[in-house]
Coordinates of all heavy atoms in Angstrom, one line a residue:
S635 N 0.8 -1.2 0.0 CA 0.0 0.0 0.0 C 0.9 1.2 0.0 O 0.5 2.3 -0.5 CB -1.0 -0.1 1.2 OG -0.6 0.7 2.2
R636 N 2.0 1.1 0.6 CA 2.9 2.3 0.6 C 3.4 2.6 -0.8 O 3.5 3.8 -1.2 CB 4.2 1.9 1.5 CG 4.7 2.9 2.3 CD 5.8 2.4 3.1 NE 6.1 3.4 4.2 CZ 7.0 3.3 5.0 NH1 7.9 2.3 4.9 NH2 7.2 4.3 5.9
I637 N 3.7 1.6 -1.6 CA 4.1 1.8 -3.0 C 3.0 2.5 -3.8 O 3.2 3.4 -4.5 CB 4.6 0.5 -3.6 CG1 5.8 0.0 -2.8 CG2 4.9 0.7 -5.1 CD1 6.3 -1.3 -3.3
R638 N 1.8 2.0 -3.6 CA 0.7 2.5 -4.3 C 0.4 4.0 -4.0 O 0.2 4.8 -4.9 CB -0.6 1.7 -4.0 CG -0.6 0.4 -4.7 CD -1.9 -0.3 -4.4 NE -1.8 -1.7 -4.9 CZ -2.7 -2.6 -4.7 NH1 -3.7 -2.3 -4.0 NH2 -2.5 -3.8 -5.1
S639 N 0.5 4.4 -2.8 CA 0.3 5.8 -2.5 C 1.3 6.7 -3.0 O 1.0 7.8 -3.5 CB 0.1 6.0 -1.0 OG 1.4 5.8 -0.3
S640 N 2.6 6.3 -3.1 CA 3.6 7.1 -3.6 C 3.5 7.2 -5.1 O 3.8 8.2 -5.8 CB 5.0 6.7 -3.2 OG 5.3 5.4 -3.8
E641 N 3.1 6.1 -5.8 CA 2.8 6.1 -7.2 C 1.7 7.0 -7.6 O 1.7 7.7 -8.6 CB 2.6 4.6 -7.7 CG 3.8 3.8 -7.8 CD 3.5 2.4 -8.2 OE1 2.3 2.1 -8.5 OE2 4.4 1.5 -8.2
A642 N 0.7 7.0 -6.7 CA -0.5 7.9 -7.0 C -0.1 9.3 -6.8 O -0.7 10.2 -7.4 CB -1.6 7.5 -6.1
E643 N 0.8 9.6 -5.9 CA 1.2 11.0 -5.6 C 2.1 11.5 -6.7 O 2.1 12.7 -7.0 CB 1.9 11.1 -4.3 CG 1.0 10.9 -3.1 CD 1.8 10.9 -1.8 OE1 3.0 11.2 -1.8 OE2 1.1 10.6 -0.8
R644 N 2.8 10.7 -7.4 CA 3.7 11.2 -8.5 C 3.0 12.0 -9.6 O 3.4 13.1 -9.9 CB 4.5 10.0 -9.0 CG 5.9 9.9 -8.4 CD 6.7 9.0 -9.1 NE 7.6 8.3 -8.1 CZ 8.0 7.1 -8.2 NH1 7.7 6.3 -9.2 NH2 8.7 6.6 -7.2
P645 N 2.0 11.4 -10.1 CA 1.3 12.1 -11.2 C 0.7 13.4 -10.7 O 0.7 14.4 -11.4 CB 0.2 11.2 -11.7 CG 0.7 9.8 -11.3 CD 1.5 10.0 -10.1
R646 N 0.1 13.4 -9.5 CA -0.4 14.6 -8.9 C 0.6 15.7 -8.7 O 0.4 16.8 -9.0 CB -1.1 14.2 -7.6 CG -1.9 15.4 -7.0 CD -2.6 15.1 -5.7 NE -3.5 13.9 -5.9 CZ -3.9 13.2 -4.9 NH1 -3.5 13.5 -3.6 NH2 -4.6 12.1 -5.0
S647 N 1.8 15.3 -8.2 CA 2.8 16.3 -7.9 C 3.4 16.8 -9.3 O 3.8 17.9 -9.4 CB 3.9 15.7 -7.1 OG 4.8 14.9 -7.8
T648 N 3.4 15.9 -10.3 CA 3.9 16.3 -11.6 C 2.9 17.3 -12.2 O 3.3 18.3 -12.8 CB 4.0 15.1 -12.6 OG1 4.9 14.2 -12.0 CG2 4.5 15.5 -13.9
M649 N 1.6 17.1 -12.0 CA 0.6 18.0 -12.5 C 0.7 19.3 -11.7 O 0.6 20.4 -12.3 CB -0.8 17.4 -12.3 CG -1.1 16.4 -13.4 SD -2.7 15.6 -13.3 CE -3.7 16.5 -12.2
M650 N 0.9 19.3 -10.4 CA 1.1 20.5 -9.6 C 2.3 21.3 -10.1 O 2.2 22.5 -10.2 CB 1.2 20.2 -8.1 CG -0.2 19.7 -7.6 SD -0.1 19.2 -5.8 CE 0.7 20.6 -5.0
N651 N 3.4 20.6 -10.4 CA 4.6 21.3 -10.9 C 4.3 21.9 -12.2 O 4.8 23.0 -12.5 CB 5.8 20.3 -11.0 CG 6.3 19.9 -9.6 OD1 6.1 20.6 -8.6 ND2 7.1 18.8 -9.6
A652 N 3.6 21.2 -13.1 CA 3.3 21.8 -14.4 C 2.4 23.0 -14.2 O 2.6 24.0 -14.9 CB 2.6 20.7 -15.3
D653 N 1.4 22.9 -13.3 CA 0.5 24.1 -13.0 C 1.4 25.2 -12.5 O 1.1 26.4 -12.9 CB -0.6 23.7 -12.1 CG -1.6 22.8 -12.7 OD1 -1.7 22.7 -13.9 OD2 -2.4 22.2 -11.9
M654 N 2.3 24.9 -11.6 CA 3.1 26.0 -11.0 C 4.0 26.6 -12.1 O 4.2 27.8 -12.1 CB 3.9 25.4 -9.8 CG 3.0 25.1 -8.6 SD 3.9 24.3 -7.3 CE 5.3 25.2 -7.0
D655 N 4.5 25.8 -13.0 CA 5.3 26.3 -14.1 C 4.5 27.2 -15.0 O 5.0 28.3 -15.4 CB 6.0 25.2 -14.9 CG 7.1 24.4 -14.1 OD1 7.5 25.0 -13.1 OD2 7.4 23.3 -14.6
A656 N 3.3 26.8 -15.2 CA 2.4 27.6 -16.1 C 2.1 29.0 -15.4 O 2.1 30.0 -16.1 CB 1.1 26.9 -16.4
V657 N 1.9 28.9 -14.1 CA 1.6 30.1 -13.4 C 2.8 31.0 -13.4 O 2.7 32.3 -13.6 CB 1.1 29.8 -11.9 CG1 1.1 31.1 -11.0 CG2 -0.2 29.2 -11.9
E658 N 4.0 30.4 -13.1 CA 5.2 31.2 -13.2 C 5.5 31.9 -14.5 O 5.9 33.0 -14.6 CB 6.4 30.3 -12.8 CG 6.6 30.1 -11.3 CD 7.9 29.3 -11.0 OE1 8.9 29.5 -11.7 OE2 7.8 28.5 -10.0
A659 N 5.2 31.1 -15.6 CA 5.4 31.6 -17.0 C 4.4 32.8 -17.2 O 4.7 33.8 -17.8 CB 5.1 30.5 -18.0
E660 N 3.2 32.6 -16.7 CA 2.2 33.7 -16.9 C 2.6 34.9 -16.1 O 2.4 36.0 -16.6 CB 0.8 33.2 -16.4 CG -0.3 34.1 -16.7 CD -1.7 33.5 -16.3 OE1 -1.9 32.3 -16.5 OE2 -2.5 34.3 -15.7
N661 N 3.1 34.7 -14.9 CA 3.5 35.8 -14.1 C 4.7 36.5 -14.7 O 4.8 37.8 -14.7 CB 3.9 35.3 -12.7 CG 2.8 35.0 -11.8 OD1 1.6 35.4 -12.1 ND2 3.0 34.3 -10.7
Q662 N 5.6 35.8 -15.4 CA 6.7 36.3 -16.0 C 6.3 37.2 -17.2 O 6.8 38.3 -17.4 CB 7.7 35.2 -16.5 CG 8.9 35.7 -17.2 CD 9.8 36.5 -16.2 OE1 9.9 36.3 -15.0 NE2 10.5 37.5 -16.8
V663 N 5.3 36.7 -18.0 CA 4.7 37.4 -19.1 C 4.1 38.7 -18.6 O 4.3 39.8 -19.2 CB 3.7 36.6 -19.9 CG1 2.9 37.4 -20.9 CG2 4.4 35.4 -20.6
E664 N 3.3 38.6 -17.5 CA 2.7 39.8 -16.9 C 3.7 40.8 -16.5 O 3.6 42.0 -16.7 CB 1.8 39.4 -15.8 CG 0.5 38.8 -16.2 CD -0.4 38.4 -15.0 OE1 -0.2 38.9 -13.9 OE2 -1.4 37.7 -15.3
L665 N 4.8 40.3 -15.8 CA 5.9 41.2 -15.4 C 6.5 41.9 -16.5 O 6.8 43.1 -16.5 CB 6.9 40.4 -14.5 CG 8.1 41.2 -14.0 CD1 7.6 42.2 -13.0 CD2 9.0 40.2 -13.3
E666 N 6.8 41.2 -17.6 CA 7.4 41.8 -18.8 C 6.5 42.8 -19.4 O 7.0 43.9 -19.8 CB 7.8 40.7 -19.8 CG 9.0 39.8 -19.4 CD 9.2 38.6 -20.3 OE1 8.4 38.5 -21.3 OE2 10.1 37.8 -20.0
E667 N 5.2 42.6 -19.4 CA 4.3 43.5 -20.0 C 4.2 44.8 -19.1 O 4.2 45.9 -19.6 CB 2.9 42.9 -20.1 CG 1.8 43.8 -20.7 CD 2.0 44.1 -22.1 OE1 2.9 43.6 -22.8 OE2 1.3 45.0 -22.6
K668 N 4.2 44.6 -17.8 CA 4.2 45.7 -16.9 C 5.4 46.6 -17.1 O 5.4 47.8 -17.1 CB 4.0 45.3 -15.4 CG 2.7 44.8 -15.1 CD 2.6 44.4 -13.6 CE 1.2 43.8 -13.3 NZ 1.2 43.3 -11.9
T669 N 6.6 45.9 -17.2 CA 7.8 46.6 -17.4 C 7.8 47.4 -18.7 O 8.3 48.5 -18.7 CB 9.0 45.6 -17.3 OG1 9.0 44.9 -16.1 CG2 10.4 46.3 -17.5
R670 N 7.3 46.8 -19.7 CA 7.2 47.4 -21.0 C 6.3 48.7 -20.9 O 6.7 49.7 -21.4 CB 6.7 46.5 -22.1 CG 6.7 47.0 -23.5 CD 6.1 46.1 -24.5 NE 4.6 46.0 -24.3 CZ 3.7 46.9 -24.6 NH1 4.1 48.0 -25.2 NH2 2.5 46.7 -24.4
L671 N 5.2 48.5 -20.3 CA 4.3 49.6 -20.1 C 4.9 50.8 -19.3 O 4.7 51.9 -19.6 CB 3.0 49.2 -19.5 CG 2.1 48.3 -20.4 CD1 0.9 47.8 -19.7 CD2 1.6 49.1 -21.6
I672 N 5.6 50.4 -18.2 CA 6.2 51.4 -17.4 C 7.3 52.2 -18.2 O 7.3 53.4 -18.1 CB 6.8 50.8 -16.1 CG1 5.7 50.3 -15.1 CG2 7.8 51.7 -15.4 CD1 6.2 49.5 -14.0
N673 N 8.1 51.4 -18.9 CA 9.1 52.1 -19.8 C 8.4 53.0 -20.8 O 8.9 54.1 -21.1 CB 10.0 51.1 -20.5 CG 10.9 50.4 -19.5 OD1 11.3 51.0 -18.4 ND2 11.3 49.2 -19.8
Q674 N 7.3 52.6 -21.4 CA 6.6 53.4 -22.3 C 6.0 54.7 -21.7 O 6.1 55.7 -22.3 CB 5.5 52.6 -23.0 CG 4.8 53.3 -24.1 CD 3.7 52.4 -24.8 OE1 3.4 51.3 -24.3 NE2 3.2 52.8 -25.9
V675 N 5.5 54.5 -20.5 CA 5.0 55.7 -19.8 C 6.1 56.7 -19.5 O 6.0 57.9 -19.6 CB 4.2 55.3 -18.5 CG1 4.0 56.4 -17.5 CG2 2.9 54.6 -18.8
L676 N 7.2 56.2 -19.0 CA 8.4 57.0 -18.7 C 8.9 57.8 -20.0 O 9.2 59.0 -19.9 CB 9.5 56.2 -18.1 CG 9.2 55.7 -16.7 CD1 10.4 54.8 -16.2 CD2 9.1 56.8 -15.7
E677 N 8.9 57.0 -21.1 CA 9.3 57.7 -22.3 C 8.3 58.8 -22.7 O 8.7 59.8 -23.2 CB 9.4 56.6 -23.4 CG 9.9 57.1 -24.7 CD 10.1 56.0 -25.8 OE1 10.3 54.9 -25.4 OE2 9.9 56.4 -27.0
L678 N 7.0 58.5 -22.6 CA 6.0 59.5 -22.9 C 6.1 60.7 -22.0 O 5.9 61.8 -22.4 CB 4.6 58.9 -22.9 CG 4.3 57.9 -24.0 CD1 3.0 57.2 -23.7 CD2 4.3 58.6 -25.3
Q679 N 6.4 60.5 -20.7 CA 6.6 61.6 -19.8 C 7.8 62.5 -20.2 O 7.7 63.7 -20.2 CB 6.9 61.1 -18.4 CG 5.6 60.6 -17.7 CD 5.9 60.1 -16.3 OE1 7.0 59.6 -16.0 NE2 4.9 60.1 -15.4
H680 N 8.9 61.8 -20.6 CA 10.0 62.6 -21.1 C 9.7 63.4 -22.3 O 10.1 64.6 -22.5 CB 11.3 61.7 -21.3 CG 11.8 61.1 -20.1 ND1 12.1 61.8 -18.9 CD2 12.1 59.8 -19.8 CE1 12.6 61.0 -18.0 NE2 12.6 59.8 -18.5
T681 N 9.0 62.8 -23.2 CA 8.6 63.5 -24.5 C 7.7 64.6 -24.1 O 7.8 65.7 -24.7 CB 7.8 62.5 -25.4 OG1 8.7 61.4 -25.7 CG2 7.4 63.2 -26.7
L682 N 6.7 64.5 -23.2 CA 5.9 65.5 -22.8 C 6.7 66.7 -22.1 O 6.4 67.9 -22.4 CB 4.8 65.0 -21.8 CG 3.8 66.0 -21.3 CD1 3.0 66.6 -22.4 CD2 2.9 65.4 -20.3
E683 N 7.6 66.3 -21.3 CA 8.5 67.4 -20.7 C 9.2 68.1 -21.8 O 9.3 69.4 -21.7 CB 9.5 66.7 -19.7 CG 8.8 66.2 -18.4 CD 9.8 65.4 -17.6 OE1 10.9 65.2 -18.0 OE2 9.4 64.9 -16.5
D684 N 9.8 67.4 -22.8 CA 10.5 68.1 -23.8 C 9.6 69.0 -24.6 O 9.9 70.2 -25.0 CB 11.1 67.1 -24.8 CG 12.2 66.3 -24.1 OD1 12.7 66.7 -23.1 OD2 12.6 65.2 -24.7
L685 N 8.4 68.5 -24.9 CA 7.4 69.4 -25.7 C 7.0 70.6 -24.9 O 6.8 71.7 -25.4 CB 6.2 68.5 -26.1 CG 6.4 67.5 -27.2 CD1 5.2 66.6 -27.3 CD2 6.8 68.1 -28.5
S686 N 6.8 70.4 -23.6 CA 6.4 71.5 -22.7 C 7.5 72.6 -22.7 O 7.2 73.8 -22.8 CB 6.1 71.0 -21.3 OG 5.7 72.0 -20.5
A687 N 8.7 72.1 -22.6 CA 9.8 73.1 -22.6 C 9.9 73.8 -23.9 O 10.2 75.0 -23.9 CB 11.1 72.3 -22.3
R688 N 9.7 73.1 -25.0 CA 9.7 73.7 -26.3 C 8.6 74.7 -26.5 O 8.8 75.8 -27.0 CB 9.6 72.6 -27.4 CG 9.5 73.1 -28.8 CD 10.9 73.7 -29.2 NE 10.8 74.2 -30.6 CZ 11.2 75.3 -31.0 NH1 11.8 76.2 -30.2 NH2 11.1 75.7 -32.2
V689 N 7.4 74.4 -26.0 CA 6.3 75.4 -26.0 C 6.6 76.6 -25.2 O 6.3 77.7 -25.7 CB 5.0 74.7 -25.5 CG1 3.9 75.7 -25.2 CG2 4.4 73.7 -26.4
D690 N 7.2 76.4 -24.0 CA 7.6 77.6 -23.2 C 8.6 78.5 -24.0 O 8.5 79.7 -24.0 CB 8.2 77.2 -21.9 CG 7.1 76.6 -21.0 OD1 5.9 76.8 -21.2 OD2 7.5 75.9 -20.0
A691 N 9.6 77.8 -24.6 CA 10.6 78.6 -25.4 C 9.9 79.3 -26.6 O 10.3 80.5 -26.8 CB 11.7 77.6 -25.9
V692 N 9.0 78.7 -27.2 CA 8.3 79.3 -28.4 C 7.5 80.5 -27.9 O 7.5 81.6 -28.5 CB 7.5 78.3 -29.2 CG1 6.6 79.0 -30.2 CG2 8.4 77.3 -29.9
K693 N 6.8 80.3 -26.8 CA 6.0 81.4 -26.2 C 6.9 82.6 -25.9 O 6.6 83.8 -26.2 CB 5.3 81.0 -24.9 CG 4.0 80.2 -25.2 CD 3.4 79.8 -23.8 CE 2.1 79.0 -24.0 NZ 1.5 78.7 -22.7
E694 N 8.0 82.4 -25.3 CA 9.0 83.4 -24.9 C 9.5 84.1 -26.2 O 9.5 85.4 -26.2 CB 10.1 82.8 -24.1 CG 11.1 83.9 -23.5 CD 12.2 83.2 -22.7 OE1 11.9 82.3 -21.9 OE2 13.3 83.8 -22.7
E695 N 9.8 83.4 -27.2 CA 10.3 84.0 -28.4 C 9.2 84.8 -29.1 O 9.5 85.9 -29.6 CB 10.8 82.8 -29.4 CG 11.3 83.3 -30.7 CD 12.7 84.1 -30.6 OE1 13.4 83.9 -29.5 OE2 13.0 84.8 -31.5
N696 N 8.0 84.3 -29.0 CA 6.9 85.0 -29.6 C 6.7 86.4 -28.9 O 6.4 87.4 -29.6 CB 5.6 84.2 -29.5 CG 4.4 84.8 -30.2 OD1 4.6 85.4 -31.2 ND2 3.2 84.5 -29.6
L697 N 6.8 86.4 -27.6 CA 6.6 87.7 -26.8 C 7.7 88.6 -27.2 O 7.5 89.8 -27.4 CB 6.7 87.4 -25.3 CG 5.4 86.8 -24.7 CD1 5.6 86.4 -23.3 CD2 4.2 87.7 -24.9
K698 N 9.0 88.1 -27.4 CA 10.1 89.0 -27.8 C 9.8 89.6 -29.2 O 10.0 90.8 -29.4 CB 11.4 88.2 -27.8 CG 12.0 87.9 -26.5 CD 13.3 87.2 -26.6 CE 13.8 86.7 -25.3 NZ 15.0 85.9 -25.4
L699 N 9.3 88.7 -30.1 CA 9.1 89.2 -31.5 C 7.9 90.2 -31.5 O 8.0 91.2 -32.2 CB 8.8 88.0 -32.4 CG 9.9 87.1 -32.7 CD1 9.5 85.9 -33.5 CD2 11.0 87.8 -33.4
K700 N 6.9 90.0 -30.7 CA 5.8 91.0 -30.6 C 6.3 92.3 -30.1 O 6.0 93.4 -30.7 CB 4.7 90.5 -29.7 CG 3.7 89.5 -30.3 CD 2.6 89.2 -29.3 CE 1.6 88.3 -29.9 NZ 0.5 88.0 -28.9
S701 N 7.1 92.3 -29.1 CA 7.7 93.5 -28.6 C 8.6 94.2 -29.6 O 8.5 95.5 -29.8 CB 8.5 93.2 -27.3 OG 9.2 94.4 -26.9
E702 N 9.4 93.5 -30.3 CA 10.2 94.1 -31.4 C 9.4 94.6 -32.5 O 9.7 95.7 -33.0 CB 11.2 93.0 -31.9 CG 12.3 92.6 -31.0 CD 13.2 91.5 -31.5 OE1 13.1 91.2 -32.7 OE2 14.0 91.0 -30.7
N703 N 8.3 93.9 -32.9 CA 7.4 94.4 -33.9 C 6.8 95.7 -33.5 O 6.6 96.6 -34.3 CB 6.4 93.4 -34.3 CG 6.9 92.3 -35.1 OD1 8.0 92.4 -35.8 ND2 6.2 91.2 -35.2
Q704 N 6.4 95.9 -32.2 CA 5.8 97.1 -31.8 C 6.8 98.3 -31.8 O 6.4 99.3 -32.3 CB 5.3 96.9 -30.3 CG 4.0 96.1 -30.2 CD 3.6 95.9 -28.7 OE1 4.4 96.0 -27.8 NE2 2.4 95.6 -28.5
V705 N 8.0 98.0 -31.5 CA 9.0 99.0 -31.5 C 9.3 99.4 -33.0 O 9.3 100.6 -33.3 CB 10.4 98.5 -30.9 CG1 11.5 99.5 -31.2 CG2 10.2 98.3 -29.4
L706 N 9.4 98.4 -33.9 CA 9.6 98.7 -35.3 C 8.4 99.5 -35.9 O 8.6 100.4 -36.7 CB 9.9 97.5 -36.1 CG 11.3 96.8 -35.8 CD1 11.3 95.5 -36.5 CD2 12.4 97.7 -36.3
G707 N 7.2 99.1 -35.5 CA 6.0 99.8 -36.0 C 6.0 101.2 -35.6 O 5.7 102.1 -36.4
Q708 N 6.3 101.5 -34.3 CA 6.4 102.8 -33.8 C 7.5 103.6 -34.5 O 7.3 104.8 -34.9 CB 6.6 102.8 -32.3 CG 6.5 104.2 -31.7 CD 5.1 104.8 -31.8 OE1 4.1 104.1 -31.6 NE2 5.0 106.0 -32.2
Y709 N 8.6 103.0 -34.7 CA 9.7 103.7 -35.4 C 9.3 104.1 -36.9 O 9.6 105.2 -37.3 CB 10.9 102.7 -35.5 CG 12.1 103.3 -36.2 CD1 12.9 104.3 -35.7 CD2 12.5 102.7 -37.4 CE1 14.0 104.8 -36.4 CE2 13.6 103.2 -38.1 CZ 14.3 104.3 -37.6 OH 15.4 104.8 -38.3
I710 N 8.7 103.1 -37.6 CA 8.3 103.4 -38.9 C 7.2 104.5 -38.9 O 7.2 105.4 -39.8 CB 7.7 102.1 -39.6 CG1 8.9 101.2 -39.9 CG2 7.0 102.4 -40.9 CD1 8.4 99.8 -40.3
E711 N 6.3 104.5 -38.0 CA 5.3 105.5 -37.9 C 5.9 106.9 -37.7 O 5.5 107.9 -38.3 CB 4.3 105.1 -36.8 CG 3.0 105.9 -36.8 CD 2.1 105.4 -35.6 OE1 1.8 104.2 -35.6 OE2 1.7 106.3 -34.8
N712 N 6.9 106.9 -36.8 CA 7.6 108.2 -36.5 C 8.3 108.7 -37.8 O 8.3 109.9 -38.1 CB 8.6 108.0 -35.4 CG 7.9 107.8 -34.0 OD1 6.7 108.1 -33.9 ND2 8.6 107.3 -33.1
L713 N 9.0 107.8 -38.5 CA 9.6 108.2 -39.7 C 8.7 108.7 -40.7 O 8.9 109.7 -41.4 CB 10.4 107.0 -40.3 CG 11.7 106.6 -39.6 CD1 12.3 105.3 -40.3 CD2 12.7 107.7 -39.7
M714 N 7.5 108.0 -40.9 CA 6.5 108.5 -41.9 C 6.0 109.8 -41.5 O 5.7 110.7 -42.4 CB 5.4 107.4 -42.0 CG 5.9 106.1 -42.7 SD 4.7 104.8 -42.6 CE 3.3 105.6 -43.5
S715 N 5.7 110.1 -40.2 CA 5.2 111.4 -39.8 C 6.2 112.5 -40.0 O 5.8 113.6 -40.2 CB 4.6 111.3 -38.4 OG 5.7 111.1 -37.5
A716 N 7.5 112.2 -39.9 CA 8.5 113.2 -40.0 C 8.9 113.5 -41.5 O 9.4 114.5 -41.8 CB 9.8 112.8 -39.3
S717 N 8.5 112.6 -42.4 CA 8.8 112.7 -43.8 C 7.7 113.5 -44.5 O 6.6 113.2 -44.4 CB 9.0 111.4 -44.4 OG 9.2 111.5 -45.8
S718 N 8.1 114.4 -45.4 CA 7.2 115.2 -46.1 C 6.5 114.3 -47.2 O 5.4 114.7 -47.7 CB 7.8 116.4 -46.8 OG 8.8 116.0 -47.7
V719 N 7.1 113.3 -47.6 CA 6.5 112.4 -48.6 C 5.2 111.8 -48.2 O 4.3 111.6 -48.9 CB 7.5 111.3 -49.0 CG1 6.9 110.3 -50.0 CG2 8.8 111.9 -49.6
F720 N 5.1 111.5 -46.9 CA 4.0 110.8 -46.3 C 3.0 111.8 -45.7 O 2.0 111.4 -45.2 CB 4.4 109.8 -45.3 CG 5.2 108.7 -45.9 CD1 6.5 108.6 -45.7 CD2 4.6 107.7 -46.7 CE1 7.3 107.6 -46.3 CE2 5.3 106.7 -47.3 CZ 6.7 106.6 -47.0
Q721 N 3.2 113.1 -45.8 CA 2.3 114.1 -45.2 C 1.1 114.2 -46.1 O 1.2 114.1 -47.3 CB 3.0 115.5 -45.1 CG 4.2 115.5 -44.1 CD 3.7 115.2 -42.7 OE1 2.7 115.8 -42.2 NE2 4.5 114.4 -42.0
T722 N 0.0 114.5 -45.5 CA -1.2 114.7 -46.3 C -1.1 116.1 -46.9 O -0.7 117.0 -46.3 CB -2.5 114.6 -45.4 OG1 -2.4 115.5 -44.4 CG2 -2.7 113.2 -44.9
T723 N -1.5 116.2 -48.1 CA -1.5 117.5 -48.8 C -2.9 118.0 -49.0 O -3.8 117.3 -49.2 CB -0.8 117.3 -50.2 OG1 -1.5 116.4 -50.9 CG2 0.7 116.9 -50.0
D724 N -3.0 119.3 -49.0 CA -4.3 120.0 -49.2 C -4.3 120.4 -50.6 O -3.6 121.4 -51.0 CB -4.4 121.2 -48.2 CG -5.8 121.7 -48.2 OD1 -6.6 121.3 -49.1 OD2 -6.1 122.7 -47.4
T725 N -5.0 119.8 -51.5 CA -5.0 120.0 -52.9 C -5.7 121.4 -53.2 O -5.4 122.0 -54.2 CB -5.7 118.9 -53.7 OG1 -7.0 118.7 -53.2 CG2 -4.9 117.6 -53.6
K726 N -6.6 121.8 -52.4 CA -7.3 123.1 -52.6 C -6.4 124.3 -52.5 O -6.4 125.2 -53.3 CB -8.5 123.2 -51.7 CG -9.6 122.3 -52.0 CD -10.8 122.5 -51.0 CE -11.9 121.5 -51.2 NZ -12.9 121.7 -50.3
S727 N -5.5 124.2 -51.5 CA -4.6 125.3 -51.2 C -3.6 125.4 -52.3 O -3.0 126.5 -52.6 CB -4.0 125.2 -49.8 OG -3.2 124.1 -49.8
K728 N -3.2 124.3 -52.9 CA -2.2 124.3 -54.0 C -2.7 124.9 -55.3 O -2.0 125.5 -56.0 CB -1.7 122.9 -54.2 CG -0.7 122.3 -53.2 CD -0.2 121.0 -53.6 CE 0.9 120.6 -52.6 NZ 1.5 119.3 -53.0
R729 N -4.0 124.7 -55.5 CA -4.6 125.3 -56.7 C -4.7 126.8 -56.7 O -4.7 127.4 -57.7 CB -6.0 124.7 -56.9 CG -5.9 123.2 -57.3 CD -7.3 122.7 -57.7 NE -7.2 121.3 -57.9 CZ -8.2 120.5 -58.1 NH1 -9.5 121.0 -58.0 NH2 -8.1 119.2 -58.3
K730 N -4.8 127.4 -55.5 CA -4.9 128.8 -55.4 C -3.7 129.5 -55.7 O -2.8 129.7 -56.0 CB -5.4 129.2 -54.0 CG -6.8 128.8 -53.8 CD -7.2 129.3 -52.4 CE -8.6 128.9 -52.1 NZ -9.0 129.2 -50.8

């Protein structure tokens, strides 16, 4: 009877080992997938940080350009008002 019980236990323990191996393999796949997703999230975070920094730089450059355009616009307006070529002429007074 001793031999029979150990023979009966062998297939059961082999099945348990196979089940455990399957569970370990599944856990390994899940772990690899989680690792891949974490790496992807980190990469996307870095990309977002880079894009955010680029947007800030572009905003700053845009503000500088707006300011320069205002200065240039005022300068051109002053030049035009000081030049006789751009002065409005009164055609009635010239005919007299």
Side-chain angles (χ1 to χ4, degrees):
S635 103
R636 220 177 194 188
I637 295 173
R638 286 186 188 170
S639 67
S640 67
E641 286 177 4
E643 288 175 9
R644 264 190 215 146
R646 189 179 304 158
S647 80
T648 303
M649 285 180 12
M650 287 176 55
N651 286 342
D653 289 343
M654 288 172 52
D655 289 344
V657 169
E658 280 185 35
E660 188 176 320
N661 287 344
Q662 183 64 30
V663 168
E664 286 180 12
L665 181 62
E666 288 171 1
E667 180 66 9
K668 285 180 184 178
T669 302
R670 186 187 68 76
L671 289 173
I672 288 170
N673 288 335
Q674 188 176 7
V675 166
L676 291 173
E677 184 178 332
L678 289 171
Q679 282 179 335
H680 293 309
T681 301
L682 181 60
E683 288 171 358
D684 293 344
L685 289 172
S686 180
R688 178 70 179 130
V689 166
D690 290 343
V692 168
K693 281 182 181 179
E694 188 176 321
E695 182 67 20
N696 187 33
L697 287 173
K698 286 180 186 176
L699 291 174
K700 276 185 179 181
S701 176
E702 289 176 10
N703 282 344
Q704 286 177 339
V705 170
L706 288 173
Q708 187 63 46
Y709 177 72
I710 290 170
E711 194 177 302
N712 290 343
L713 285 176
M714 289 173 59
S715 66
S717 173
S718 61
V719 174
F720 296 105
Q721 295 297 316
T722 57
T723 57
D724 189 355
T725 55
K726 292 181 184 175
S727 65
K728 285 188 176 180
R729 288 187 186 168
K730 289 184 182 176

